[in-house]
Amino acid sequence: NAGVTQTPKFRVLKTGQSMTLLCAQDMNHEYMYWYRQDPGMGLRLIHYSVGEGTTAKGEVPDGYNVSRLKKQNFLLGLESAAPSQTSVYFCASVRSGSSYNEQFFGPGTRLTVL
Amino acid sequence: RKEVEQDPGPFNVPEGATVAFNCTYSNSASQSFFWYRQDCRKEPKLLMSVYSSGNEDGRFTAQLNRASQYISLLIRDSKLSDSATYLCVVIDSGYALNFGKGTSLLVTP
């Protein structure tokens, strides 16, 4: 049981390049999330999904797109990277049901946009 | 956006000391409350949930005060391994977490 994994762990992009971050979970969780964490800002929700085939915007969705084609995977795309998207990106998942359920986080992807 | 506020610290305490963190939240309708721990350059991990009646897990005690809209975390007999950032987390509705910016704790020998 690997929990939540993220690919890649590190990436450096040039402004305008595109990339996709992959999040995978093997816990059969319904809900998945993408957050970004910046110094002094805490974690902020980008997009989330409450089930396969469904996605919704979070607090800071601009410049990002997501897809949840398979229950175990949640992809985060940057179509045209900007320096403001330099951040640490965390994926998380939670079993549906009570709001007391623990969210499990992946190890993070450190992205630098030059 | 609903606010979750924490003192960023850092809190520097000697081993064996007792230290307490507070966190305030702005939405009186908030449903669930947690403390997460985050080590440097690592992902957040659940430390403990916070229940209305308060709860204790070993050296850690969490309290919720709905009237004043704050939660607290007390760490007794601090260990070097307790050094980390402690994140206050509030769920207003649904399942999206609202994070505080974290309180940094450094326990020194």
Side-chain angles (χ1 to χ4, degrees):
Chain A
N1 190 335
V4 181
T5 59
Q6 292 183 232
T7 309
K9 289 185 170 55
F10 303 93
R11 186 71 185 269
V12 178
L13 290 178
K14 294 181 179 178
T15 297
Q17 286 185 316
S18 63
M19 77 164 294
T20 300
L21 283 66
L22 170 64
C23 175
Q25 52 92 6
D26 61 1
M27 297 175 283
N28 201 36
H29 285 172
E30 290 291 334
Y31 291 60
M32 297 186 73
Y33 306 81
W34 276 107
Y35 295 91
R36 61 177 288 174
Q37 186 174 34
D38 303 293
M41 293 295 294
L43 280 89
R44 292 180 292 169
L45 182 64
I46 304 171
H47 286 277
Y48 65 101
S49 168
V50 300
E52 182 179 320
T54 69
T55 63
K57 294 180 180 180
E59 179 188 357
V60 288
D62 294 342
Y64 305 95
N65 56 76
V66 289
S67 64
R68 183 99 180 269
L69 298 180
K70 295 182 178 180
K71 185 178 183 179
Q72 63 268 34
N73 295 337
F74 194 28
L75 278 64
L76 178 70
L78 286 73
E79 290 186 350
S80 180
S84 61
Q85 294 177 305
T86 294
S87 187
V88 180
Y89 292 85
F90 288 104
C91 175
S93 72
V94 65
R95 177 169 54 90
S96 63
S98 167
S99 60
Y100 289 96
N101 285 336
E102 176 182 359
Q103 282 205 1
F104 292 86
F105 285 81
T109 295
R110 284 160 179 77
L111 175 65
T112 301
V113 183
L114 302 176
Chain B
R1 176 172 183 259
K2 302 303 186 292
E3 296 293 330
V4 179
E5 301 287 344
Q6 293 182 252
D7 181 344
F11 285 65
N12 294 327
V13 302
E15 270 187 292
T18 296
V19 61
F21 310 135
N22 285 333
C23 164
T24 59
Y25 60 95
S26 62
N27 185 0
S28 60
S30 295
Q31 297 179 355
S32 308
F33 309 88
F34 307 86
W35 285 102
Y36 275 70
R37 170 190 170 132
Q38 186 173 27
D39 294 292
C40 186
R41 301 182 70 80
K42 299 286 189 181
E43 72 272 25
K45 292 184 178 179
L46 179 66
L47 178 66
M48 58 196 306
S49 303
V50 186
Y51 303 122
S52 297
S53 56
N55 47 301
E56 186 174 311
D57 183 2
R59 298 181 293 108
F60 299 84
T61 300
Q63 298 278 354
L64 168 63
N65 185 320
R66 284 193 180 270
S68 299
Q69 294 181 209
Y70 77 84
I71 68 174
S72 63
L73 177 67
L74 181 76
I75 305 175
R76 291 181 298 278
D77 189 22
S78 299
K79 311 292 185 189
L80 296 177
S81 57
D82 293 335
S83 297
T85 297
Y86 291 83
L87 305 174
C88 174
V89 180
V90 175
I91 296 181
D92 294 332
S93 62
Y95 302 94
L97 276 60
N98 293 314
F99 285 85
K101 296 178 182 178
T103 297
S104 176
L105 172 66
L106 178 63
V107 181
T108 56

